[in-house]
Amino acid sequence: MAAFFCIATSLLFSIFACKESPKQIDLSQPNFSHVDTLLLNTIGSVDWRSIYYGSDEQREFIVTRLNQIVDSLEQVGDLDELGADTYRGIIYNSAYKRLEAEEWFSRAITHNSRKDREQRYYNYAGYELANLLYIRHNYEGFLRVAVPLFASMDSLGTHLRIDHKIDLYSLLGCCYLKLEQPEKAREAVLKARDFGRQVLAVDTSHYIHQSFINYYARIKDAYVRVKDFEGARNWMAFTDSIGNLFARRYPNADVWPIYNGYTHLDRAIKVWSLGMKDSAAIEYAEFRKYQCAYDINGLTQSNDYLMNAERWEDAADNYQALDYFIKWNNEKLYLEELYAYYFPKFRANYYAGRKDSALFVANQIAEAFDSAYIWQKRSSMAEMATLYDTQGKEMQIARQQAELSQQRLWGTAIALVLLTTFFIIYSLHRRKAQKRLAAAHEQLETTHEKLEKAHAELQTAYDQLEETTAAKERIESELRIARDIQMSMVPGIFPERDGLDMYAEMTPAKEVGGDLYGYVFQGDELYFCVGDVSGKGVPASLFMAQSARLFRTLATEGMMPAEIAFRMNNELSEGNDSNMFVTMFIGLLHLDTGRLDFCNCGHNAPFIDGQFLRMQHVNQMIGFGEDTPFVGETIDDIRDKQLLIYTDGLNEAENTQHELLGDDCLLPLMSTAASLDSHQVIDMLKAAVEEHRAGADPNDDLTLMCLKLSR
């Protein structure tokens, strides 16, 4: 211990000029021994970034001295092999020497230890190794390390680093998405969600909330990158529900500028994939207003949009800015990094017309390929060498046993060969005389068996056809009944009052759907709504029925639209394990004055007098998070103005080339609809949708409601 103090003290004095803000390296929530505390404080006191930009000699000197401390502690027994290898990995990782860090962390996790302290060493080494493998796109290696690590983390109970576990769950889901295994990804991210709910039920600290928002936003980003926008929308809503609670407690947290910035980038990627290139450019421009757009993650993720959008000039500029980070973050290259960074960089410069830069990158690829291949081989060999080193004695014993077993096996094999040869010769000689006599009889039996088999197969196929036909007819009949029930839940007759022109229609994409509309007429007040449930088919129709019932019940109580939305959200959020939700526009029209009170809950902006209604508040969808406030708005007088509310089956109708009808086509149509009554407006829009589809099957439910109040 005295030697440790001497070495540690001399090291701290030698690097006093670099000591600015110590880095906190925590292996577990409970305190370790005094040795762990001193080691962590010593490593954390170094300003590694400044040292990296200093001389190589200075960095090597500090790494060497820190390793000497670890060596001395291992020699005197204050650290075992697992702990010593873990600290060596921490030292090299802190010094941005990723390859050496991987080697030591790989060596650490091969040690077999079940003690509490050593188990935490194993968990930390495995966690850091998994992150390093994921960063350099080695997803198979990440899975080999992460999957057994979860069981080890569970064994620690209350000593578990919960942020490590939720981080690994989120990385595991992202990894499966990148490996195109969506079912395994869904299983992993649901575990992350359930584990997060358990933790947040007992821990509402600033650190835990902010960590969970970051990790869940990572899952949402991964769904966006693989263009699974339904999964991204669900995770965006789930992250927002946690964020709303966090925002109330910590409105000035550092995470918000980052989270809001990346939301614009995700929208840019989504709307570009839907063919809305102008909207995508606007969203990307909004993202560039945030500081997070200019760090390594922001620049890297920006290229997901820029490369797909073929904005080669901007992408080339991005890669040029990324070179600053690549310089200090990748001392040695792997093949995965060549593929993920340098090849796209070459394409961006080439298509941007920067031929000199493209040639320079091509030379970089050519020069780095050999060394990358060597480092890749070296990494694999180091992993094998670690296994051989820790299991050498066992392998030597096993090899000796294998040699003895092999000798016995050869002797047994020779005896079996001799016996088998004798038996074959004897059998062939005996069977030769019987073969001719049995051939005719065998041929007759074979023919008879084939006929019986063919008859049985034909009968089975006929029975299956009858069962399938009956089942199909039964299902179709049940779906027809379900459609009739669902259509009966939306009104087909509309209020007759002087000056009021109102009409609505709903057309499900399948037998049953998730759209809804409704109205409640009370004296001089007309409540109305149009909604769109997430998903399609039977689950959406059940959620739709519950939503329609709640609207009618609450509207008859004379509540304002925002209060109706609040009450519906609380009812539908309770027990909503499937994470379904409904977007809805709720309105209250005062027929005597023309005043419109409304609350838009994540729904498309309606048309009023041929233009999109400008709203100050959109609110969240209904069904996510209880006690979420909803804000309503008011228009003083809409008399003599035509109001159209619709679902996205209108503007997102697709043709056979998967092209959307889009807002650009709707605006000219609605500008000419002022002279039409409500029924004619809806017939015109349905005809426009059918013309755009040009024979393509409906891709979404379509619901339209139009009303106009005259003076």
Side-chain angles (χ1 to χ4, degrees):
M1 185 63 72
F4 168 74
F5 281 118
C6 292
I7 297 174
T9 303
S10 64
L11 176 62
L12 287 173
F13 276 115
S14 68
I15 60 174
F16 71 95
C18 304
K19 182 178 178 183
E20 294 178 358
S21 55
K23 252 169 49 175
Q24 182 64 30
I25 305 172
D26 184 17
L27 296 184
S28 71
Q29 291 170 344
N31 289 329
F32 272 6
S33 66
H34 292 300
V35 171
D36 294 301
T37 302
L38 291 170
L39 261 176
L40 295 175
N41 288 340
T42 301
I43 298 172
S45 65
V46 181
D47 182 8
W48 290 103
R49 182 68 63 82
S50 297
I51 290 176
Y52 180 83
Y53 286 111
S55 64
D56 291 338
E57 292 78 8
Q58 183 188 23
R59 181 167 58 153
E60 290 299 327
F61 170 75
I62 294 174
V63 169
T64 301
R65 296 301 295 272
L66 286 172
N67 277 322
Q68 288 173 354
I69 295 175
V70 174
D71 294 341
S72 65
L73 291 172
E74 185 179 15
Q75 290 172 6
V76 299
D78 286 330
L79 284 175
D80 63 1
E81 286 185 317
L82 172 56
D85 290 344
T86 300
Y87 277 114
R88 293 182 184 109
I90 292 173
I91 292 167
Y92 283 110
N93 200 27
S94 301
Y96 304 102
K97 299 173 78 67
R98 310 301 190 195
L99 177 64
E100 291 84 349
E102 275 191 36
E103 291 176 357
W104 285 110
F105 285 139
S106 298
R107 184 185 181 92
I109 66 173
T110 61
H111 295 295
N112 186 16
S113 176
R114 291 294 180 266
K115 295 180 182 179
D116 215 26
R117 178 182 175 191
E118 284 75 12
Q119 193 72 12
R120 286 195 288 271
Y121 283 139
Y122 167 83
N123 287 348
Y124 185 85
Y127 170 76
E128 290 296 335
L129 177 60
N131 270 275
L132 288 171
L133 293 170
Y134 185 88
I135 287 171
R136 68 176 178 87
H137 314 287
N138 186 352
Y139 304 123
E140 290 82 0
F142 170 85
L143 292 176
R144 286 197 301 269
V145 174
V147 172
L149 190 58
F150 284 113
S152 175
M153 285 184 165
D154 290 339
S155 69
L156 283 181
T158 57
H159 296 255
L160 170 68
R161 278 292 301 269
I162 58 175
D163 57 326
H164 282 190
K165 189 170 184 179
I166 194 67
D167 188 15
L168 282 179
Y169 267 135
S170 64
L171 287 175
L172 183 64
C174 297
C175 182
Y176 279 130
L177 284 174
K178 293 177 183 293
L179 292 174
E180 299 181 356
Q181 299 186 46
E183 291 302 321
K184 290 186 177 180
R186 183 176 183 275
E187 180 181 352
V189 300
L190 288 179
K191 287 181 178 179
R193 184 199 66 183
D194 295 340
F195 181 68
R197 285 175 171 171
Q198 296 172 16
V199 174
L200 291 172
V202 296
D203 189 344
T204 58
S205 64
H206 177 283
Y207 173 76
I208 288 297
H209 265 93
Q210 183 155 321
S211 297
F212 277 42
I213 290 172
N214 285 330
Y215 299 146
Y216 291 154
R218 172 195 291 158
I219 297 173
K220 177 258 300 180
D221 292 341
Y223 275 107
V224 171
R225 299 302 177 273
V226 298
K227 296 181 174 58
D228 183 350
F229 298 117
E230 183 67 23
R233 183 166 62 170
N234 290 337
W235 273 92
M236 184 178 296
F238 183 60
T239 307
D240 286 344
S241 65
I242 297 177
N244 288 334
L245 297 176
F246 181 59
R248 296 174 197 168
R249 296 189 179 98
Y250 311 103
N252 299 319
D254 296 338
V255 72
W256 296 124
I258 300 173
Y259 182 75
N260 294 334
Y262 280 109
T263 298
H264 287 292
L265 180 59
D266 293 339
R267 289 174 183 164
I269 296 173
K270 176 182 178 180
V271 299
W272 186 90
S273 69
L274 296 175
M276 303 164 65
K277 297 183 178 180
D278 293 339
S279 298
I282 293 172
E283 292 291 348
Y284 180 71
E286 288 297 317
F287 169 65
R288 297 281 292 180
K289 295 178 181 179
Y290 290 84
Q291 183 61 36
C292 62
Y294 302 95
D295 61 22
I296 184 171
N297 290 324
L299 293 170
T300 302
Q301 295 191 35
S302 293
N303 285 334
D304 291 334
Y305 163 69
L306 295 174
M307 294 294 285
N308 284 323
E310 298 181 356
R311 292 176 56 170
W312 308 116
E313 288 277 351
D314 294 333
D317 291 340
N318 251 23
Y319 280 112
Q320 185 176 358
L322 274 169
D323 285 341
Y324 168 79
F325 298 99
I326 297 300
K327 175 183 180 298
W328 61 262
N329 200 35
N330 285 293
E331 194 172 59
K332 300 178 179 67
L333 292 175
Y334 289 86
L335 295 177
E336 295 97 334
E337 291 162 327
L338 281 177
Y339 175 79
Y341 179 76
Y342 285 94
F343 281 99
K345 179 182 177 182
F346 168 78
R347 289 178 58 228
N349 281 281
Y350 179 81
Y351 289 116
R354 303 178 184 180
K355 301 302 174 63
D356 292 340
S357 297
L359 180 60
F360 177 77
V361 178
N363 287 332
Q364 281 185 309
I365 295 172
E367 292 173 0
F369 182 83
D370 289 340
S371 61
Y373 179 76
I374 292 171
W375 286 118
Q376 199 87 349
K377 295 288 288 183
R378 178 180 171 183
S379 177
S380 300
M381 292 172 66
E383 181 179 351
M384 294 301 298
T386 301
L387 293 173
Y388 288 135
D389 184 56
T390 55
Q391 301 174 3
K393 293 182 180 180
E394 290 83 352
M395 292 183 65
Q396 184 177 2
I397 295 172
R399 189 163 50 249
Q400 292 173 351
Q401 292 177 343
E403 291 175 356
L404 292 174
S405 299
Q406 190 176 23
Q407 292 176 0
R408 296 192 188 98
L409 182 63
W410 275 112
T412 304
I414 292 172
L416 286 174
V417 169
L418 293 175
L419 289 173
T420 303
T421 303
F422 172 79
F423 179 78
I424 291 173
I425 294 173
Y426 175 79
S427 299
L428 289 175
H429 178 74
R430 184 174 181 178
R431 289 171 60 187
K432 186 175 181 180
Q434 300 174 348
K435 187 174 182 180
R436 291 191 185 123
L437 294 175
H441 179 69
E442 183 178 349
Q443 185 174 4
L444 288 173
E445 285 187 344
T446 300
T447 303
H448 180 68
E449 289 175 358
K450 289 181 178 179
L451 289 172
E452 287 185 341
K453 184 178 180 180
H455 180 267
E457 289 177 349
L458 182 62
Q459 184 64 42
T460 300
Y462 180 76
D463 293 341
Q464 290 177 346
L465 179 61
E466 282 190 332
E467 291 177 2
T468 302
T469 303
K472 182 179 179 182
E473 291 175 351
R474 183 172 62 255
I475 293 172
E476 289 177 348
S477 175
E478 291 174 351
L479 287 175
R480 282 194 298 270
I481 295 171
R483 181 187 179 94
D484 293 341
I485 293 173
Q486 184 182 24
M487 295 304 292
S488 69
M489 297 181 67
V490 296
I493 301 174
F494 300 95
E496 296 182 1
R497 177 172 173 142
D498 292 341
L500 177 63
D501 176 22
M502 180 179 180
Y503 187 73
E505 278 192 18
M506 181 179 74
T507 307
K510 297 183 178 181
E511 286 80 0
V512 290
D515 279 7
L516 69 137
Y517 71 85
Y519 72 87
V520 173
F521 192 50
Q522 296 189 130
D524 288 332
E525 294 183 341
L526 173 65
Y527 288 88
F528 60 91
C529 75
V530 172
D532 184 1
V533 176
S534 60
K536 302 179 183 68
V538 174
S541 70
L542 295 175
F543 204 80
M544 166 266 185
Q546 190 176 9
S547 302
R549 176 186 61 81
L550 283 171
F551 166 75
R552 288 195 299 270
T553 301
L554 296 172
T556 56
E557 296 182 8
M559 299 178 182
M560 292 296 286
E563 179 66 17
I564 293 175
F566 178 80
R567 297 288 185 88
M568 288 183 66
N569 182 64
N570 283 352
E571 288 289 333
L572 294 174
S573 296
E574 184 176 357
N576 185 12
D577 295 332
S578 60
N579 287 330
M580 296 191 72
F581 58 86
V582 57
T583 67
M584 185 174 285
F585 185 92
I586 304 173
L588 168 57
L589 179 59
H590 302 270
L591 300 177
D592 53 347
T593 64
R595 191 182 79 186
L596 175 65
D597 296 309
F598 66 91
C599 181
N600 186 35
C601 309
H603 201 71
N604 299 321
F607 281 95
I608 184 164
D609 260 5
Q611 298 295 324
F612 287 110
L613 175 61
R614 297 185 177 274
M615 296 174 288
Q616 296 179 351
H617 303 281
V618 178
N619 299 301
Q620 72 165 35
M621 295 79 73
I622 294 176
F624 273 112
E626 299 181 45
D627 296 329
T628 300
F630 288 79
V631 181
E633 299 181 52
T634 299
I635 301 176
D636 293 334
D637 192 353
I638 67 165
R639 285 178 292 187
D640 297 330
K641 296 180 180 180
Q642 191 178 72
L643 179 65
L644 175 75
I645 309 105
Y646 60 94
T647 61
D648 52 14
L650 175 64
N651 58 322
E652 294 184 6
E654 294 182 356
N655 58 17
T656 54
Q657 287 77 38
H658 300 289
E659 296 171 339
L660 303 182
L661 178 61
D663 296 340
D664 293 340
C665 293
L666 289 178
L667 284 168
L669 286 173
M670 293 305 299
S671 66
T672 62
S675 60
L676 304 178
D677 62 30
S678 296
H679 201 312
Q680 291 172 334
V681 170
I682 290 177
D683 288 343
M684 174 195 67
L685 292 174
K686 288 174 60 180
V689 169
E690 290 300 322
E691 181 180 355
H692 175 73
R693 284 184 182 144
D697 292 333
N699 60 297
D700 203 352
D701 305 331
L702 173 62
T703 299
L704 303 166
M705 175 182 284
C706 185
L707 58 88
K708 187 174 183 179
L709 179 64
S710 303
R711 294 182 183 275

Short mmCIF file of all heavy atoms in Angstrom, two decimals, residues 273-304:
data_model
loop_
_atom_site.label_atom_id
_atom_site.label_comp_id
_atom_site.label_asym_id
_atom_site.label_seq_id
_atom_site.Cartn_x
_atom_site.Cartn_y
_atom_site.Cartn_z
N SER A 273 -38.61 10.61 -46.91
CA SER A 273 -38.93 9.27 -47.39
C SER A 273 -40.36 9.19 -47.93
O SER A 273 -40.67 8.30 -48.71
CB SER A 273 -38.74 8.25 -46.26
OG SER A 273 -39.72 8.43 -45.27
N LEU A 274 -41.22 10.12 -47.51
CA LEU A 274 -42.60 10.16 -48.00
C LEU A 274 -42.74 11.03 -49.24
O LEU A 274 -43.84 11.27 -49.73
CB LEU A 274 -43.53 10.69 -46.91
CG LEU A 274 -43.64 9.82 -45.65
CD1 LEU A 274 -44.50 10.51 -44.59
CD2 LEU A 274 -44.22 8.45 -45.98
N GLY A 275 -41.61 11.54 -49.75
CA GLY A 275 -41.64 12.34 -50.97
C GLY A 275 -41.85 13.82 -50.76
O GLY A 275 -41.98 14.57 -51.73
N MET A 276 -41.89 14.28 -49.50
CA MET A 276 -42.12 15.70 -49.20
C MET A 276 -40.77 16.39 -49.02
O MET A 276 -40.34 16.69 -47.90
CB MET A 276 -43.01 15.81 -47.95
CG MET A 276 -44.34 15.07 -48.13
SD MET A 276 -45.22 14.78 -46.56
CE MET A 276 -45.57 16.47 -46.07
N LYS A 277 -40.09 16.63 -50.12
CA LYS A 277 -38.71 17.09 -50.07
C LYS A 277 -38.59 18.51 -49.52
O LYS A 277 -37.64 18.82 -48.79
CB LYS A 277 -38.09 17.01 -51.47
CG LYS A 277 -38.03 15.58 -52.00
CD LYS A 277 -37.34 15.50 -53.35
CE LYS A 277 -37.26 14.07 -53.84
NZ LYS A 277 -36.60 13.96 -55.15
N ASP A 278 -39.53 19.39 -49.87
CA ASP A 278 -39.46 20.76 -49.36
C ASP A 278 -39.64 20.80 -47.84
O ASP A 278 -38.93 21.52 -47.13
CB ASP A 278 -40.53 21.63 -50.04
CG ASP A 278 -40.25 21.82 -51.52
OD1 ASP A 278 -39.07 21.66 -51.92
OD2 ASP A 278 -41.19 22.13 -52.27
N SER A 279 -40.61 20.02 -47.35
CA SER A 279 -40.82 19.96 -45.90
C SER A 279 -39.60 19.39 -45.20
O SER A 279 -39.22 19.83 -44.11
CB SER A 279 -42.05 19.11 -45.58
OG SER A 279 -43.21 19.69 -46.15
N ALA A 280 -38.96 18.39 -45.82
CA ALA A 280 -37.76 17.79 -45.23
C ALA A 280 -36.65 18.83 -45.12
O ALA A 280 -35.93 18.89 -44.12
CB ALA A 280 -37.30 16.60 -46.07
N ALA A 281 -36.48 19.65 -46.16
CA ALA A 281 -35.44 20.68 -46.13
C ALA A 281 -35.71 21.70 -45.03
O ALA A 281 -34.78 22.17 -44.36
CB ALA A 281 -35.37 21.37 -47.49
N ILE A 282 -36.97 22.03 -44.81
CA ILE A 282 -37.32 22.98 -43.75
C ILE A 282 -36.99 22.40 -42.38
O ILE A 282 -36.41 23.08 -41.52
CB ILE A 282 -38.81 23.35 -43.84
CG1 ILE A 282 -39.07 24.16 -45.13
CG2 ILE A 282 -39.25 24.16 -42.63
CD1 ILE A 282 -40.54 24.40 -45.41
N GLU A 283 -37.35 21.12 -42.17
CA GLU A 283 -37.06 20.49 -40.88
C GLU A 283 -35.55 20.39 -40.64
O GLU A 283 -35.07 20.60 -39.52
CB GLU A 283 -37.69 19.09 -40.83
CG GLU A 283 -39.20 19.07 -40.79
CD GLU A 283 -39.75 19.60 -39.48
OE1 GLU A 283 -38.96 19.76 -38.52
OE2 GLU A 283 -40.96 19.86 -39.40
N TYR A 284 -34.79 20.08 -41.69
CA TYR A 284 -33.34 19.98 -41.52
C TYR A 284 -32.75 21.35 -41.19
O TYR A 284 -31.83 21.47 -40.37
CB TYR A 284 -32.69 19.42 -42.78
CG TYR A 284 -31.19 19.30 -42.67
CD1 TYR A 284 -30.61 18.33 -41.85
CD2 TYR A 284 -30.35 20.15 -43.36
CE1 TYR A 284 -29.24 18.22 -41.73
CE2 TYR A 284 -28.97 20.06 -43.24
CZ TYR A 284 -28.42 19.08 -42.42
OH TYR A 284 -27.06 18.99 -42.30
N ALA A 285 -33.27 22.40 -41.82
CA ALA A 285 -32.79 23.75 -41.52
C ALA A 285 -33.07 24.11 -40.05
O ALA A 285 -32.26 24.78 -39.40
CB ALA A 285 -33.46 24.76 -42.45
N GLU A 286 -34.22 23.66 -39.52
CA GLU A 286 -34.52 23.90 -38.11
C GLU A 286 -33.53 23.16 -37.21
O GLU A 286 -33.08 23.68 -36.19
CB GLU A 286 -35.95 23.44 -37.80
CG GLU A 286 -37.03 24.34 -38.37
CD GLU A 286 -36.97 25.75 -37.78
OE1 GLU A 286 -36.79 25.88 -36.56
OE2 GLU A 286 -37.08 26.72 -38.56
N PHE A 287 -33.19 21.92 -37.60
CA PHE A 287 -32.21 21.16 -36.81
C PHE A 287 -30.87 21.87 -36.75
O PHE A 287 -30.20 21.89 -35.70
CB PHE A 287 -32.04 19.77 -37.44
CG PHE A 287 -30.88 18.98 -36.89
CD1 PHE A 287 -30.87 18.56 -35.57
CD2 PHE A 287 -29.80 18.65 -37.71
CE1 PHE A 287 -29.80 17.83 -35.07
CE2 PHE A 287 -28.73 17.94 -37.21
CZ PHE A 287 -28.73 17.52 -35.89
N ARG A 288 -30.47 22.51 -37.83
CA ARG A 288 -29.16 23.18 -37.88
C ARG A 288 -29.10 24.40 -36.96
O ARG A 288 -28.03 24.95 -36.73
CB ARG A 288 -28.86 23.61 -39.32
CG ARG A 288 -28.74 22.45 -40.30
CD ARG A 288 -27.41 21.76 -40.21
NE ARG A 288 -26.32 22.61 -40.69
CZ ARG A 288 -25.06 22.23 -40.70
NH1 ARG A 288 -24.72 21.04 -40.26
NH2 ARG A 288 -24.12 23.05 -41.15
N LYS A 289 -30.24 24.83 -36.43
CA LYS A 289 -30.24 25.97 -35.51
C LYS A 289 -29.81 25.57 -34.10
O LYS A 289 -29.58 26.43 -33.27
CB LYS A 289 -31.63 26.60 -35.46
CG LYS A 289 -32.07 27.23 -36.79
CD LYS A 289 -33.48 27.79 -36.68
CE LYS A 289 -33.94 28.38 -38.01
NZ LYS A 289 -35.33 28.91 -37.93
N TYR A 290 -29.72 24.25 -33.84
CA TYR A 290 -29.37 23.78 -32.51
C TYR A 290 -27.87 23.44 -32.45
O TYR A 290 -27.27 22.98 -33.44
CB TYR A 290 -30.18 22.53 -32.16
CG TYR A 290 -31.65 22.82 -31.93
CD1 TYR A 290 -32.54 22.90 -33.00
CD2 TYR A 290 -32.14 23.01 -30.65
CE1 TYR A 290 -33.89 23.16 -32.79
CE2 TYR A 290 -33.49 23.27 -30.42
CZ TYR A 290 -34.35 23.35 -31.50
OH TYR A 290 -35.67 23.60 -31.28
N GLN A 291 -27.29 23.63 -31.28
CA GLN A 291 -25.86 23.38 -31.09
C GLN A 291 -25.52 21.91 -31.30
O GLN A 291 -24.42 21.58 -31.76
CB GLN A 291 -25.44 23.82 -29.67
CG GLN A 291 -23.95 23.67 -29.38
CD GLN A 291 -23.09 24.53 -30.33
OE1 GLN A 291 -23.48 25.63 -30.69
NE2 GLN A 291 -21.95 24.00 -30.73
N CYS A 292 -26.45 21.01 -30.94
CA CYS A 292 -26.17 19.58 -31.07
C CYS A 292 -25.95 19.16 -32.52
O CYS A 292 -25.44 18.07 -32.78
CB CYS A 292 -27.30 18.76 -30.46
SG CYS A 292 -28.91 19.01 -31.25
N ALA A 293 -26.32 19.99 -33.48
CA ALA A 293 -26.12 19.64 -34.90
C ALA A 293 -24.65 19.66 -35.29
O ALA A 293 -24.29 19.16 -36.36
CB ALA A 293 -26.90 20.60 -35.79
N TYR A 294 -23.79 20.22 -34.43
CA TYR A 294 -22.40 20.41 -34.82
C TYR A 294 -21.44 19.58 -33.98
O TYR A 294 -20.22 19.74 -34.10
CB TYR A 294 -22.03 21.90 -34.70
CG TYR A 294 -22.92 22.77 -35.56
CD1 TYR A 294 -24.04 23.38 -35.03
CD2 TYR A 294 -22.67 22.92 -36.92
CE1 TYR A 294 -24.88 24.15 -35.81
CE2 TYR A 294 -23.50 23.68 -37.72
CZ TYR A 294 -24.60 24.30 -37.16
OH TYR A 294 -25.43 25.05 -37.95
N ASP A 295 -21.96 18.65 -33.12
CA ASP A 295 -21.05 17.74 -32.44
C ASP A 295 -20.96 16.46 -33.27
O ASP A 295 -21.57 16.34 -34.34
CB ASP A 295 -21.50 17.47 -31.00
CG ASP A 295 -22.88 16.83 -30.94
OD1 ASP A 295 -23.30 16.22 -31.94
OD2 ASP A 295 -23.53 16.94 -29.89
N ILE A 296 -20.20 15.48 -32.77
CA ILE A 296 -19.93 14.28 -33.58
C ILE A 296 -21.20 13.50 -33.88
O ILE A 296 -21.40 13.02 -35.00
CB ILE A 296 -18.88 13.38 -32.88
CG1 ILE A 296 -18.53 12.17 -33.77
CG2 ILE A 296 -19.34 12.96 -31.48
CD1 ILE A 296 -17.37 11.38 -33.27
N ASN A 297 -22.12 13.40 -32.90
CA ASN A 297 -23.36 12.66 -33.14
C ASN A 297 -24.26 13.41 -34.12
O ASN A 297 -24.87 12.82 -35.01
CB ASN A 297 -24.10 12.44 -31.81
CG ASN A 297 -23.38 11.47 -30.92
OD1 ASN A 297 -22.79 10.51 -31.40
ND2 ASN A 297 -23.41 11.72 -29.62
N GLY A 298 -24.36 14.73 -33.95
CA GLY A 298 -25.20 15.51 -34.84
C GLY A 298 -24.71 15.47 -36.28
O GLY A 298 -25.51 15.31 -37.22
N LEU A 299 -23.40 15.61 -36.48
CA LEU A 299 -22.85 15.56 -37.83
C LEU A 299 -23.03 14.19 -38.45
O LEU A 299 -23.36 14.05 -39.64
CB LEU A 299 -21.36 15.94 -37.80
CG LEU A 299 -21.05 17.40 -37.42
CD1 LEU A 299 -19.56 17.57 -37.19
CD2 LEU A 299 -21.52 18.35 -38.51
N THR A 300 -22.81 13.13 -37.64
CA THR A 300 -22.95 11.76 -38.15
C THR A 300 -24.38 11.47 -38.55
O THR A 300 -24.65 10.95 -39.65
CB THR A 300 -22.47 10.77 -37.08
OG1 THR A 300 -21.11 11.05 -36.74
CG2 THR A 300 -22.57 9.34 -37.61
N GLN A 301 -25.34 11.80 -37.68
CA GLN A 301 -26.74 11.49 -37.98
C GLN A 301 -27.30 12.40 -39.07
O GLN A 301 -28.23 12.02 -39.77
CB GLN A 301 -27.57 11.59 -36.70
CG GLN A 301 -27.19 10.54 -35.66
CD GLN A 301 -28.18 10.47 -34.52
OE1 GLN A 301 -29.38 10.64 -34.71
NE2 GLN A 301 -27.67 10.22 -33.32
N SER A 302 -26.74 13.60 -39.22
CA SER A 302 -27.18 14.46 -40.32
C SER A 302 -26.96 13.79 -41.67
O SER A 302 -27.74 13.96 -42.61
CB SER A 302 -26.41 15.79 -40.28
OG SER A 302 -26.76 16.54 -39.15
N ASN A 303 -25.89 13.00 -41.76
CA ASN A 303 -25.58 12.36 -43.04
C ASN A 303 -26.62 11.31 -43.42
O ASN A 303 -26.72 10.95 -44.60
CB ASN A 303 -24.18 11.74 -42.99
CG ASN A 303 -23.10 12.80 -43.08
OD1 ASN A 303 -23.32 13.87 -43.65
ND2 ASN A 303 -21.94 12.53 -42.53
N ASP A 304 -27.37 10.77 -42.44
CA ASP A 304 -28.46 9.85 -42.79
C ASP A 304 -29.47 10.56 -43.70
O ASP A 304 -30.02 9.95 -44.62
CB ASP A 304 -29.17 9.37 -41.53
CG ASP A 304 -28.30 8.45 -40.70
OD1 ASP A 304 -27.42 7.80 -41.29
OD2 ASP A 304 -28.49 8.38 -39.49
#
